[in-house]
Amino acid sequence: MLIAFQMFILFLGLQEEPQKLLIRKWELKEVVMGKNKMIMQAVPNRRAVVYMEFFENGKCVITSQPAQSPPKENKWSVLQEESNWILHIEAENEFGGKVKQKFKIEKITKKELILSLGEKDDKETYFYKAIK
């Protein structure tokens, strides 16, 4: 019984780890869509630079450079689905509608975040670097 309780506590500790690691500001560095790769520094005038900042209270702010519109406060959460960690983001689009996205967390450290959408030929992978 004690071993089962210790394993449960260990599982809870592991469950919190992705959330804690996300809480910082991230800069999008590269996007891979199928066989195409886009390095953000190579984009003319750096118009596609995207920042995401996650806060402990479940708030997420997504901004781009140069800012076309003021950043909106979005919601985020991380859940485990099967053996994967999934980042759920609920955001407001420029028309005032709600958009929900589910990203698979491929890798997360204090300095690097890799998210993906889709599978196989339709897979999009986003590479972020921590800046704060």
Side-chain angles (χ1 to χ4, degrees):
M1 184 70 152
L2 180 60
I3 294 172
F5 180 72
Q6 289 172 333
M7 290 186 70
F8 178 72
I9 296 300
L10 178 63
F11 174 74
L12 288 178
L14 292 174
Q15 211 171 12
E16 292 177 3
E17 194 65 24
Q19 290 90 330
K20 290 179 183 178
L21 290 170
L22 267 174
I23 299 171
R24 57 188 33 85
K25 189 171 186 176
W26 300 93
E27 179 182 359
L28 181 62
K29 301 304 273 179
E30 184 177 310
V31 179
V32 176
M33 295 181 192
K35 295 179 182 179
N36 300 317
K37 180 192 280 190
M38 180 171 52
I39 298 172
M40 303 315 283
Q41 290 178 328
V43 174
N45 300 326
R46 292 182 52 92
R47 290 180 185 211
V49 175
V50 174
Y51 298 100
M52 290 194 310
E53 188 166 8
F54 296 92
F55 299 90
E56 286 185 50
N57 62 1
K59 181 178 89 168
C60 172
V61 176
I62 301 170
T63 56
S64 61
Q65 285 290 2
Q68 300 293 329
S69 59
K72 295 180 169 70
E73 291 187 10
N74 308 300
K75 297 178 186 176
W76 70 275
S77 62
V78 174
L79 301 172
Q80 191 169 18
E81 294 181 6
E82 298 173 14
S83 62
N84 299 310
W85 289 103
I86 306 296
L87 171 62
H88 293 258
I89 296 180
E90 183 177 317
E92 185 178 322
N93 64 20
E94 56 272 3
F95 306 109
K98 295 285 183 191
V99 177
K100 294 181 182 182
Q101 287 191 299
K102 290 171 53 171
F103 295 92
K104 179 180 175 187
I105 299 174
E106 299 282 348
K107 180 179 180 183
I108 185 167
T109 68
K110 289 182 179 182
K111 296 181 180 185
E112 181 181 25
L113 172 63
I114 302 173
L115 302 174
S116 68
L117 285 171
E119 294 181 21
K120 297 181 182 176
D121 294 340
D122 294 329
K123 186 173 182 177
E124 299 174 12
T125 307
Y126 300 87
F127 298 83
Y128 292 86
K129 176 183 173 190
I131 59 171
K132 183 177 176 184

